[in-house]
Amino acid sequence: MRDNYLEEYYSFLRFPSVSTDAKFADKVRECAAWVSQKLEKIGLESKVVPTPGHPIVWARNKHRNGRPTVLIYGHYDVQPPDPLELWDSPPFEPVLKNGYVFARGATDNKGQIFSHILGLQETIEKNRDLPVNVDLVIEGEEEVGSQNLGKFLTDNRDALKCDVVLVSDTGMIARKTPTLSYGLRGVAALEVKVTGPKIDLHSGIFGGAVTNPATALARLLATLHDQNGHIAVPGFYDDVVPLQDWERESWRKLPIDPDSEMLEETGAPSLFGEAGFSTLERIWARPTAEINGMGSGYQGPGTKTVLPSHAMAKLTFRLVPNQNGDAIIDLVKKHFQKNMPTGVTLEMTSGHSGPWYLTDPHNKFGQAAQRALKKAFNKDAALIREGGSIPIVSDFRKILGVETLLIGLALQDCRAHSPNENFPLENLEAGIRMNQAVLEELAG
Ligand code: BES
Ligand code: MN
């Protein structure tokens, strides 16, 4: 790998392009400008398209008739680096240790999208052109639900007409093991707030005579699951399509040991999930209800004998085919209303949502991707679904009418969204080869 690749990658990583926090908005914009300039430097036409939120970078080569058009999608925004004290080195000052680059965004998604850019660069340098027509759409709002990208796709539907989309924002099942993901879970968010007394009260004077909102919320949240890890919201599973036999078979044969890897990576004392399903089935093919955060009452040092006035929790549900996010949120709201403890009021606000995605890894694009992965890694591709969500992928189908190839480069221990996020240079290099192989295979 060339020396200046690392320097450029570091420059990309130094932008704190945190999309969720308005105080970084300038940095997000500077990062977009940097990406766009890089794409111009390698010989593409590129522009930064403003949106009501963060801008979208849109670049392309000269399109020629008679060859396929490939849309490469990625994101330059990142998750917040917090909690900062858990990082071994500052999140926006990339460092290389034992072949791994540490920084927020090193994997998700800067490292992955940058390897595609370098792949394009090398091909253009070698052949003065790419083997296919290419559009790159690199957005700045993926980590906050891609609120403005759908409209961008609709507004530019004709200009973005393409044959297939390429996304490197998913995982590899193991080092040096190419992976084609053919499914993603969807996600739907709901915030609940339980309110009792009008102010925090003395728990000695009032405790026992009025409902404690923290207790009420705990009871309410506990109704989400039964003892076996099944979601207990009536109707929740009605639209769930069971896993196909070929998937269950082929997942069982994957060259990984999901349970022990998961134990090691998470540090949890044991695994737990919906009874009757394997770990991979639980994360790739079953829906979940998760509490992402909750708060109530006194959280400072020592004690405070208080009866809190309210309690809140942030929830998300991961969805699988054929569940509908709005319908699921409605079911949960009804369920909570029905199970409301007395003496408190309940407010529920639904948040962002994004659909699941499932495609056929054996169609002609999937086959091309599998050939390319084999070429780039010298190994057959593993075919998997993913537990994470990339909401815009279902819009590529709905708005542009095309399927998406998910050929990500993230490893289990890359720490995406966590402290000490990292990306092996080995994967940056593999990504460069993979980009070239995929475009060649898609060119036919
Ligand atoms: N790259 C991830 C999605 C992902 C993670 C795919 C793991 C496959 C495996 C993406 O950046 C992400 O984190 N998405 C969010 C979406 C949400 C904010 C709407 C997610 O999955 O939580
Ligand atoms: Mn991502």
Side-chain angles (χ1 to χ4, degrees):
M1 197 182 73
R2 301 183 206 163
D3 292 345
N4 66 331
Y5 284 176
L6 194 60
E7 229 2 272
E8 280 188 313
Y9 178 33
Y10 282 7
S11 303
F12 192 12
L13 292 172
R14 285 194 189 103
F15 293 100
S17 48
V18 179
S19 49
T20 196
D21 187 341
K23 82 169 181 266
F24 292 105
D26 287 349
K27 299 296 170 194
V28 174
R29 211 167 329 113
E30 285 169 27
C31 188
W34 184 91
V35 173
S36 184
Q37 277 157 23
K38 170 66 190 168
L39 293 168
E40 274 175 359
K41 265 191 280 174
I42 69 169
L44 303 176
E45 206 178 284
S46 177
K47 56 186 172 186
V48 176
V49 182
T51 76
H54 302 303
I56 297 163
V57 179
W58 181 12
R60 53 173 23 195
N61 62 347
K62 200 169 262 341
H63 288 199
R64 291 211 313 257
N65 286 336
R67 59 184 195 177
T69 301
V70 179
L71 192 158
I72 299 175
Y73 162 83
H75 61 96
Y76 66 83
D77 66 320
V78 298
Q79 288 272 328
D82 312 74
L84 287 173
E85 65 278 12
L86 296 184
W87 285 77
D88 296 331
S89 56
F92 298 108
E93 295 172 26
V95 288
L96 181 66
K97 277 185 256 172
N98 302 323
Y100 290 75
V101 172
F102 286 81
R104 169 57 83 231
T107 289
D108 187 8
N109 178 240
K110 289 175 172 174
Q112 301 183 77
I113 193 66
F114 194 57
S115 68
H116 276 284
I117 295 173
L118 294 177
L120 298 177
Q121 173 177 341
E122 291 195 359
T123 308
I124 295 171
E125 283 174 6
K126 245 184 300 184
N127 307 334
R128 295 159 134 250
D129 194 10
L130 300 168
V132 293
N133 301 329
V134 166
D135 275 281
L136 281 119
V137 172
I138 306 175
E139 68 153 324
E141 300 189 296
E142 196 276 342
E143 300 291 5
V144 288
S146 303
Q147 305 293 342
N148 294 295
L149 192 60
K151 181 167 186 302
F152 170 84
L153 297 182
T154 306
D155 290 351
N156 299 288
R157 192 201 317 244
D158 293 336
L160 288 170
K161 199 169 141 32
C162 58
D163 297 287
V164 67
V165 180
L166 222 54
V167 175
S168 292
D169 198 17
T170 49
M172 284 165 53
I173 54 163
R175 275 186 63 202
K176 300 185 194 294
T177 308
T179 304
L180 173 63
S181 304
Y182 59 91
L184 296 162
R185 287 196 290 190
V187 64
L190 180 70
E191 195 166 324
V192 283
K193 184 174 175 191
V194 168
T195 305
K198 61 187 176 205
I199 47 166
D200 287 6
L201 302 171
H202 190 298
S203 64
I205 301 174
F206 298 98
V210 293
T211 302
N212 184 314
T215 308
L217 181 65
R219 293 182 72 102
L220 195 61
L221 295 177
T223 67
L224 279 172
H225 296 94
D226 70 13
Q227 302 290 336
N228 295 317
H230 290 291
I231 294 163
V233 176
F236 194 91
Y237 293 102
D238 283 1
D239 295 329
V240 172
V241 178
L243 195 63
Q244 299 174 60
D245 288 338
W246 77 264
E247 301 183 274
R248 189 172 294 108
E249 257 318 283
S250 101
W251 294 359
R252 211 179 288 136
K253 290 193 208 127
L254 289 172
I256 48 175
D257 183 351
D259 288 29
S260 62
E261 285 168 24
M262 182 133 316
L263 273 175
E264 179 176 337
E265 192 50 40
T266 61
S270 63
L271 299 179
F272 175 75
E274 192 184 359
F277 297 90
S278 71
T279 292
L280 292 182
E281 289 168 17
R282 287 169 180 168
I283 54 178
W284 291 347
R286 298 295 293 172
T288 60
E290 298 288 356
I291 302 170
N292 302 127
M294 49 201 293
S296 181
Y298 181 65
Q299 319 229 340
T303 57
K304 183 181 182 198
T305 47
V306 73
L307 192 161
S309 127
H310 54 259
M312 60 74 71
K314 288 176 185 278
L315 313 177
T316 51
F317 302 86
R318 292 283 168 172
L319 311 174
V320 301
N322 281 328
Q323 289 178 301
N324 172 283
D326 293 337
I328 289 296
I329 293 295
D330 281 347
L331 289 176
V332 174
K333 282 181 173 171
K334 278 204 196 89
H335 172 77
F336 279 162
Q337 252 138 14
K338 203 174 133 229
N339 289 280
M340 262 295 285
T342 53
V344 284
T345 58
L346 175 64
E347 258 172 88
M348 294 183 280
T349 320
S350 41
H352 64 78
S353 80
W356 47 265
Y357 181 71
L358 188 64
T359 189
D360 175 11
H362 306 298
N363 68 16
K364 73 169 179 184
F365 296 117
Q367 286 179 20
Q370 290 185 55
R371 286 195 303 273
L373 288 171
K374 180 152 191 187
K375 229 200 258 178
F377 288 85
N378 265 317
K379 204 176 189 180
D380 282 326
L383 305 182
I384 70 163
R385 297 200 210 176
E386 288 278 14
S389 308
I390 310 176
I392 202 64
V393 169
S394 70
D395 277 350
F396 292 140
R397 180 186 276 167
K398 209 167 62 200
I399 300 171
L400 302 180
V402 292
E403 297 301 295
T404 296
L405 295 170
L406 300 156
I407 46 171
L409 299 160
L411 299 180
Q412 272 283 86
D413 53 0
C414 72
R415 303 266 160 101
H417 297 203
S418 297
N420 297 321
E421 179 174 352
N422 62 84
F423 193 52
L425 286 184
E426 171 184 289
N427 284 26
L428 190 75
E429 285 167 359
I432 297 171
R433 293 196 305 271
M434 179 181 80
N435 169 275
Q436 308 197 36
V438 167
L439 296 191
E440 272 163 32
E441 288 299 335
L442 289 172

